[in-house]
Structure formats: C-alpha cells, structure tokens
Amino acid sequence: MQKYQQVVFVSTINDATPLVKRDILSQFNEDAMTYFQRGDITGLLFYGNDHFFHYFESEAKLMDQLKADVLAYPHHHSQQLIYDQKGPQKKFNSWQMKYTQNDPLVQAFFARHGWERFEPYLLQGELLDEFMAIVMTYADFSATLNAQSTHQASEKHASFLHYVLGSLALIALAWLAFMLLSHFGYINFTPSYQR
C-alpha cells in the first residue's frame, strides 16, 4: 500500500530588494518550522538565486490540503508541481532548509551541467532524477536504519547464543575427559587413608 506521497514544487520569490528578500526568507523559514514542526510533513527545501525547490512528503490523505496551502503561500510565485509520487514510507524524519550556494553536491551538479545559477524550472527527466538523488542524500531513511539495527540485534543475539552453546559444549567435553581419566585410574578422587 502506498501510504505516503512525495511532491516537489518549484517557485520564485518576488522581485523585492535584497533586504526585503532576507526578511521574506526569514519569515518563510519561521512559517515553515511552525507548519512542519508537528512532524506530519517532512522534506527538504533548497533556496538559491531567488528560486525554491521544495521536496516534501506526508501521508497521502493529507497531501491535497498541503498542496493547497503551498499554492496559497503569498511569498512563492510562479509555482509548478514537477514531481508527484506515492511510496510505502517516508524518507525524511524532519523538514529542513538548505542554500544551494553552500551545498557542495548542488554546486557539483551546477558544474557538471554548466549552470551558473539555480534554475529549478529546468529540472525535468534525467536532470530531475539526478537532482532528486542529491535530495535523497539528505534523507534519513529511518526504515532502512531500523531494519539494519534489527538485523544487527539479531546477529548479536545469534553470536551470544553461539557463545553460550560453545561454552556448554566445552564444559561437557571437559567433564567427559575428566570422567574417562578417572575411570582409567589416572585421576583418583577417593580419599586414601594412611594408618
């Protein structure tokens, strides 16, 4: 069953002065932290060159309202939905915001493709797949981590079980050797009384 839905919106910030843009980003980050704080909605937002790339995920039943809220947000303009998939699990445990100019993976992506600026509207097809791979490097993959920790715990349990069984086998072997040696008279445990 596909319980979760992942979407990506791209948008721009309005043509304000740099100081006003800084205030808008600060307000956006505050609004987003408040909105996403409940943990129902997780994901990652990249901002650079007045553009947003906003990957977020939620339970599929909540996504229609979330899309409407994103489209109604006053500081995003020219919004486009460029990715919409359903999946069995969330990939992020929280929401976070990153700046493209500070991210080495994004900068390497720009260099590979000859981009001088962040232009998320150009992300389609293979370019989108490649950029989504960058996004997923920041994912928590909690289900994968839980599966690995469960596997490690079962390995530790099996290792302990082997230790206990090996110890018991060693004790049994020592007891058998002791009994054989005492049977053939090499070891005598009967007290000898000398008168």
Side-chain angles (χ1 to χ4, degrees), residues 146-162:
N146 287 342
Q148 286 176 348
S149 63
T150 302
H151 178 68
Q152 289 172 349
S154 66
E155 281 181 352
K156 285 180 183 177
H157 179 71
S159 177
F160 179 73
L161 185 60
H162 287 143

Side-chain angles (χ1 to χ4, degrees), residues 37-51:
Q37 190 174 30
R38 298 179 306 229
D40 298 336
I41 303 157
T42 58
L44 174 69
L45 179 133
F46 275 111
Y47 173 77
N49 304 107
D50 300 334
H51 289 89

Side-chain angles (χ1 to χ4, degrees), residues 1 6 8 14 29 32 65 70 79 94 106 108 119 121 123 125 141 145 162 166 181-182 184:
M1 180 177 168
Q6 293 92 19
V8 172
N14 62 10
N29 196 29
Q65 181 60 49
V70 168
Q79 296 183 28
S94 62
V106 173
E119 299 284 349
Y121 292 100
L123 294 172
F141 292 108
L145 294 176
H162 287 143
L181 289 173
S182 66
F184 291 113

Side-chain angles (χ1 to χ4, degrees), residues 11-177:
S11 60
T12 60
I13 201 166
N14 62 10
D15 293 329
T17 63
L19 198 54
V20 172
K21 287 179 186 179
R22 187 197 69 194
D23 291 342
I24 289 171
L25 284 175
S26 178
Q27 182 63 47
F28 172 76
N29 196 29
E30 186 178 314
D31 292 346
M33 294 305 282
T34 301
Y35 190 85
F36 299 124
Q37 190 174 30
R38 298 179 306 229
D40 298 336
I41 303 157
T42 58
L44 174 69
L45 179 133
F46 275 111
Y47 173 77
N49 304 107
D50 300 334
H51 289 89
F52 294 99
F53 176 95
H54 198 177
Y55 169 92
F56 50 91
E57 57 192 11
S58 179
E59 288 187 37
K61 65 184 178 183
L62 303 175
M63 192 55 75
D64 288 337
Q65 181 60 49
L66 179 59
K67 287 178 183 178
D69 292 347
V70 168
L71 289 170
Y73 192 73
H75 300 300
H76 288 217
H77 302 282
S78 304
Q79 296 183 28
Q80 289 182 13
L81 178 67
I82 64 168
Y83 181 87
D84 192 347
Q85 299 287 323
K86 291 189 177 182
Q89 67 187 30
K90 290 168 73 172
K91 297 182 176 20
F92 288 81
N93 288 331
S94 62
W95 181 87
Q96 53 190 308
M97 182 175 175
K98 297 196 173 292
Y99 294 89
T100 59
Q101 69 269 20
N102 298 336
D103 191 280
L105 295 174
V106 173
Q107 291 300 313
F109 175 86
F110 289 177
R112 268 193 312 280
H113 297 288
W115 288 17
E116 293 181 18
R117 306 176 32 89
F118 185 43
E119 299 284 349
Y121 292 100
L122 300 177
L123 294 172
Q124 298 175 7
E126 291 179 8
L127 275 179
L128 178 58
D129 293 342
E130 186 178 343
F131 199 80
M132 287 299 290
I134 293 170
V135 170
M136 289 306 139
T137 62
Y138 295 102
D140 300 303
F141 292 108
S142 58
T144 303
L145 294 176
N146 287 342
Q148 286 176 348
S149 63
T150 302
H151 178 68
Q152 289 172 349
S154 66
E155 281 181 352
K156 285 180 183 177
H157 179 71
S159 177
F160 179 73
L161 185 60
H162 287 143
Y163 173 76
V164 169
L165 291 177
S167 297
L168 290 174
L170 187 59
I171 291 169
L173 187 59
W175 180 78
L176 181 63

